[in-house]
Amino acid sequence: MSGGQAQLMWDEAVTGYDFGPGHPMDPVRLALTMRLVEAYGLDRAVRTVSAAAAGESTLRLVHRADYIAAVRAASADPRAADGSYGIGTVDDPAFAGMHDAAALIAGQSVAAAEAVWRGEALHAVNFSGGLHHAMPGGASGFCVYNDAALAVARLLELGAQRVVYVDVDVHHGDGVQAVFWDDPRVLTISLHEHPRTLFPQTGWPEETGGAQAEGTAVNVALPAGTGDAGWLRAFHAVVPELLAAFRPEVLVTQHGADTHFEDPLAHLAVSVDAQRLVAEACHRLAHEHAGGRWVALGGGGYAVTEVVPRSWTHLVGIAAGRPVDPESLVPEEWRSEVFRRTRQLGPLRMTDGRQPVWRDFAESGYDPADRLDQAILATRRAVFPSHGILP
């Protein structure tokens, strides 16, 4: 296979990652995304691969043995889960088969990283992944195993010396940051709603990495209500310069769709159109700074019919070199599938009707009274000097 071909990780069994009726993390969002990918014929523009579940030795790259054992025990007897290790809580209720489903998602992300590192694919997408809150010893925020951290850890195991992880989920990528806090080989960048107003209440600009890895944790804490122009301004004010300075061998990105203005769990006001532009920017930055090596993951997103499938179908199209026209009408067969599964009407177009524009931070200067610019400058001042960049 040509190393230029994109790879899409998919196994229908990932929809078994199901916390039960009424939980925001409805696995229908994954199934509907794959059906939309198929409706646009993008599955024929990529190599679709189903990888094996991550085994014990792979999970141990990030997670403690006692935690993995606790997940297995809760999977076998969900009623016995009592909240220890974060399992059996409101956010992370135990369910039968939880270990198998979470390990399967992790296996897809690890295999995506392996394919890109080995040159079997230039880009690889696992939109079922991006479960960035799971900690080495506990579940958190709907996340059981941290597939994003496992993908990065596997790259390091294979010999990578410089990996950049960019997280644009509305929530702070706290689990990935924690895993690599003291590892100078990994630069984690998270753009998220300010911790004052959103879970997990971490991701302050002052969180910049451990003593041996100062400046390798980067956090942009965005004011609630930030929309397309501010979100894009913040991304472009921080991410490109840091990638140029760090010179990664691989770019790993997490594309939680919960920054959207219709998402029920957060307070940003970003459109699908801006999410598409950030995916395009990540693709371009991978080619500019990482030899094109790009692993793209999903993440949060709880507007499960209106937003998530469109956002991640755009992501797959960009990775495949077949970007979806945002003005295109959503295929009617997919809208019928949405109604059959959810009794909701699906969106009509692949756009929210926005044409986002933003002011470049370097060119336009900053307004010291503007809360967004304050957030950008706080991040640049905290980490840019560690990389030899003027803030």
Side-chain angles (χ1 to χ4, degrees):
M1 184 191 79
S2 166
Q5 186 172 350
Q7 187 161 297
L8 175 62
M9 311 305 301
W10 178 252
D11 187 319
E12 207 74 31
V14 298
T15 60
Y17 190 82
D18 187 354
F19 290 111
H23 193 282
M25 184 80 99
D26 188 337
V28 75
R29 70 199 192 117
L30 302 178
L32 289 176
T33 299
M34 190 60 190
R35 301 293 87 81
L36 189 55
V37 165
E38 292 166 346
Y40 274 102
L42 296 174
D43 56 319
R44 298 189 295 275
V46 296
R47 179 174 181 244
T48 303
V49 175
S50 171
E56 186 85 11
S57 63
T58 297
L59 294 173
R60 287 287 302 277
L61 291 173
V62 165
H63 295 289
R64 298 198 321 247
D66 58 320
Y67 173 58
I68 298 168
V71 175
R72 290 184 183 274
S75 299
D77 185 6
R79 293 171 297 179
D82 60 2
S84 58
Y85 294 97
I87 304 167
T89 62
V90 173
D91 275 1
D92 299 281
F95 60 91
M98 180 171 63
H99 166 80
D100 292 340
L104 182 62
I105 289 173
Q108 309 311 306
S109 292
V110 170
E114 291 171 345
V116 168
W117 182 254
R118 291 169 175 161
E120 297 164 5
L122 195 58
H123 311 322
V125 180
N126 175 28
F127 58 73
S128 72
L131 304 180
H132 58 169
H133 294 307
M135 293 292 177
S140 177
F142 314 161
C143 305
V144 176
Y145 292 138
N146 195 321
D147 66 284
L150 285 163
V152 174
R154 180 63 174 138
L155 288 167
L156 299 178
E157 188 180 47
L158 290 171
Q161 292 298 309
R162 297 184 309 280
V163 179
V164 170
Y165 170 78
V166 176
D167 189 319
V168 297
D169 193 288
V170 79
H171 302 92
H172 177 224
D174 57 338
V176 184
Q177 174 180 286
V179 169
F180 302 108
W181 182 254
D182 288 300
D183 195 329
R185 298 172 296 175
V186 181
L187 176 67
T188 64
I189 307 174
S190 178
L191 288 84
H192 47 267
E193 184 179 327
H194 201 286
R196 283 199 191 95
T197 53
L198 194 66
F199 174 91
Q201 282 77 54
T202 58
W204 300 79
E206 296 80 12
E207 298 170 32
T208 57
Q212 304 305 311
E214 180 59 43
T216 62
V218 181
N219 290 290
V220 187
L222 300 167
T226 297
D228 288 356
W231 193 62
L232 292 166
R233 178 172 169 83
F235 179 94
H236 289 284
V238 172
V239 178
E241 287 180 79
L242 286 172
L243 262 68
F246 198 78
R247 297 178 297 110
E249 295 162 288
V250 186
L251 177 62
V252 180
T253 58
Q254 195 266 25
H255 298 264
D258 43 8
T259 52
H260 196 272
F261 56 79
E262 290 195 14
D263 197 273
L265 299 189
H267 318 97
L268 295 191
V270 173
S271 69
V272 164
D273 302 288
Q275 291 173 345
R276 175 178 52 82
L277 291 179
V278 160
E280 289 177 347
C282 289
H283 179 221
R284 183 174 64 254
L285 290 167
H287 281 280
E288 290 176 358
H289 302 295
R293 289 179 289 274
W294 181 32
V295 178
L297 309 173
Y302 309 101
V304 299
T305 59
E306 185 68 26
V307 177
V308 174
R310 291 189 297 156
S311 185
W312 292 347
T313 297
H314 278 304
L315 178 65
V316 173
I318 291 161
R322 286 260 309 273
V324 176
D325 180 357
E327 294 295 335
S328 66
L329 287 172
V330 173
E332 187 57 40
E333 67 267 24
W334 182 80
R335 298 186 73 243
S336 297
E337 179 73 359
V338 168
F339 188 77
R340 185 184 72 81
R341 286 177 175 258
T342 68
R343 289 298 182 261
Q344 297 178 32
L345 297 176
L348 289 170
R349 292 185 183 273
M350 291 294 285
T351 177
D352 286 331
R354 308 284 178 88
Q355 293 183 324
V357 293
W358 71 95
R359 294 181 303 119
D360 182 83
F361 191 80
E363 292 180 1
S364 67
Y366 66 92
D367 178 356
D370 182 83
R371 290 171 62 216
L372 177 80
D373 281 4
Q374 290 170 4
I376 293 170
L377 196 57
T379 300
R380 290 171 62 102
R381 284 174 171 162
V383 296
F384 272 34
S386 296
H387 298 274
I389 314 170
L390 292 174

